[in-house]
Amino acid sequence: MGNNGSQENNASELKEFFSFRKIPDALSEYPDAKYVIFGVPFDGTSSYRRGSRTAPDAIRFAYRNLESYDVSYGVDFLEVPIADLGDLDESEDVSEVLDQVEHVTRRILSDGKIPILLGGEHSATVGAVRNLKDTLMVIIDAHSDFRESYMGNKYNHACVTKRALGILGPDSIISIGIRSTSKEEYESPQKNQVRFISANEVRKSGIDSVIEEIRSRNASRIYFSIDMDGIDPAYAPGVGTPEPYGLSDVQVRKILNAFSKKIIGMDIVEITPMYDNGNTAMLGAKLIQDFIGSKESKKED
Ligand code: MN
Ligand code: MN
């Protein structure tokens, strides 16, 4: 064996030979970070196209294409304390995954940091929501996700908004981009406890009126959940359950920009790299920068 120095020194020497899967702008370690990214490689309840468990690394890879400076926000991301913790261990057990997400986001939030969860499927969001109170939840989604249970599982990704309602209570969720819902969901007596804004309504009244409506809630804290299928398949083709006639990429960015200062955590879920031409992962990466960039920006918009 000989004297090869301390194990620690060897490890740092070896580090040069490996590429760690991190967002390239994530130069900080956890204790110093303000933004904490982590992946949840889980797609166990997906009903149509599985594969979102590989999305965290697809987003990280796409992010390599992005510049570390954004002139529109005047922000140099290399100067922003961002950490990327990597991915949670893979598991096929949704309850276990939700417990892990709950534990990790609770720690990040209680340390005064901002979690950015990369799915995986939308079901993971419920773990984060368990830590929220007095928080407005804003969801981008093609689906109402309002089933009581689906395929025998109440934590299925088709039940996310219903589970979140059970945690947050009435009048604390706004879900935008809806264009697919079952009769059971549509006729649910609890439906009016969530403000569902359909994609058609966004087209009719315009994104600015949606922003005004969110603003009128006077929320001091917002959790932002982006199910990428809320965005039109033209912009985001690589998702588990695609639906035509969706929101545009720029509309979602506008909502993010309008409320980034109040957003205390967010997730980007449901990207399925196997069905992607690269654009969906790229948009996911860009939305991370748009969130951090607009939150850090000192510019008046
Ligand atoms: Mn969803
Ligand atoms: Mn959806």
Side-chain angles (χ1 to χ4, degrees), residues 122 140-145 157-158 180 227-230 239-243 269-270:
H122 207 174
I140 304 295
D141 206 325
H143 308 93
S144 51
D145 287 357
H157 71 154
S180 170
D227 179 333
M228 291 292 285
D229 66 36
V239 294
T241 43
E243 283 286 338
V269 299
E270 294 285 341

Side-chain angles (χ1 to χ4, degrees), residues 20-41:
F20 288 87
R21 288 167 173 170
K22 279 186 176 185
I23 300 276
D25 291 337
L27 300 181
S28 292
E29 299 296 328
Y30 180 81
D32 307 315
K34 176 175 176 185
Y35 300 91
V36 180
I37 293 162
F38 68 100
V40 183

Side-chain angles (χ1 to χ4, degrees), residues 97-108 127-128 131:
V97 172
L98 294 193
D99 287 348
Q100 285 177 357
V101 171
E102 178 184 358
H103 180 83
V104 170
T105 46
R106 182 189 302 137
R107 175 67 195 270
I108 295 169
N131 296 304

Side-chain angles (χ1 to χ4, degrees), residues 15-301:
K15 245 182 177 175
E16 294 170 28
F17 294 96
F18 293 89
S19 71
F20 288 87
R21 288 167 173 170
K22 279 186 176 185
I23 300 276
D25 291 337
L27 300 181
S28 292
E29 299 296 328
Y30 180 81
D32 307 315
K34 176 175 176 185
Y35 300 91
V36 180
I37 293 162
F38 68 100
V40 183
F42 174 73
D43 58 16
T45 79
S46 292
S47 44
Y48 185 51
R49 297 164 165 180
R50 285 185 72 166
S52 65
R53 72 183 176 283
T54 64
D57 275 345
I59 297 168
R60 291 184 179 105
F61 182 74
Y63 197 108
R64 288 167 181 250
N65 176 51
L66 303 176
E67 295 287 356
S68 291
Y69 180 72
D70 193 316
V71 67
S72 59
Y73 304 117
V75 169
D76 183 350
F77 293 103
L78 296 175
E79 291 172 358
V80 180
I82 305 167
D84 186 344
L85 303 183
D87 291 350
L88 292 180
D89 277 339
E90 288 197 37
S91 166
E92 281 293 300
D93 179 349
V94 64
S95 303
E96 189 177 78
V97 172
L98 294 193
D99 287 348
Q100 285 177 357
V101 171
E102 178 184 358
H103 180 83
V104 170
T105 46
R106 182 189 302 137
R107 175 67 195 270
I108 295 169
L109 289 167
S110 68
D111 286 338
K113 304 173 190 295
I114 298 159
I116 301 176
L117 182 163
L118 307 180
E121 56 173 53
H122 207 174
S123 48
T125 299
V126 174
V129 171
R130 285 176 184 164
N131 296 304
L132 305 178
K133 52 175 188 245
D134 304 325
T135 304
L136 178 68
M137 184 181 190
V138 176
I139 304 171
I140 304 295
D141 206 325
H143 308 93
S144 51
D145 287 357
F146 213 58
R147 284 181 154 95
E148 189 50 42
S149 173
Y150 193 58
M151 294 163 76
N153 193 340
K154 63 180 183 162
Y155 293 116
N156 188 284
H157 71 154
C159 313
V160 175
T161 307
K162 193 66 168 289
R163 293 292 83 77
L165 174 64
I167 296 164
L168 298 171
D171 304 321
S172 40
I173 304 173
I174 300 177
S175 187
I176 307 160
I178 308 302
R179 54 200 185 276
S180 170
T181 190
S182 66
K183 196 171 178 210
E184 172 211 326
E185 293 166 273
Y186 193 71
E187 292 176 349
S188 163
Q190 289 169 291
K191 197 186 69 168
N192 293 334
Q193 299 179 4
V194 171
R195 171 68 169 118
F196 288 108
I197 304 178
S198 71
N200 275 338
E201 193 176 339
V202 175
R203 267 187 293 276
K204 242 181 260 162
S205 23
I207 199 69
D208 289 332
S209 100
V210 172
I211 288 170
E212 274 321 302
E213 181 174 342
I214 299 171
R215 194 166 277 139
S216 73
R217 297 290 188 104
N218 280 320
S220 54
R221 296 151 51 89
I222 293 174
Y223 182 86
F224 200 55
S225 179
I226 306 176
D227 179 333
M228 291 292 285
D229 66 36
I231 301 167
D232 193 87
Y235 307 96
V239 294
T241 43
E243 283 286 338
Y245 315 131
L247 306 178
S248 77
D249 51 356
V250 175
Q251 286 175 326
V252 173
R253 184 182 61 170
K254 202 160 185 190
I255 299 172
L256 193 53
N257 287 348
F259 298 103
S260 61
K261 306 275 191 209
K262 291 181 171 182
I263 293 173
I264 51 114
M266 86 159 187
D267 59 67
I268 298 172
V269 299
E270 294 285 341
I271 294 173
T272 48
M274 213 194 305
Y275 297 92
D276 196 12
N277 57 7
N279 292 354
T280 320
M282 182 56 60
L283 181 54
K286 194 72 187 171
L287 288 166
I288 297 172
Q289 279 201 340
D290 277 305
F291 170 49
I292 296 175
S294 58
K295 196 169 175 75
E296 292 295 315
S297 182
K298 307 276 187 288
K299 286 187 177 179
E300 291 296 319
D301 196 34

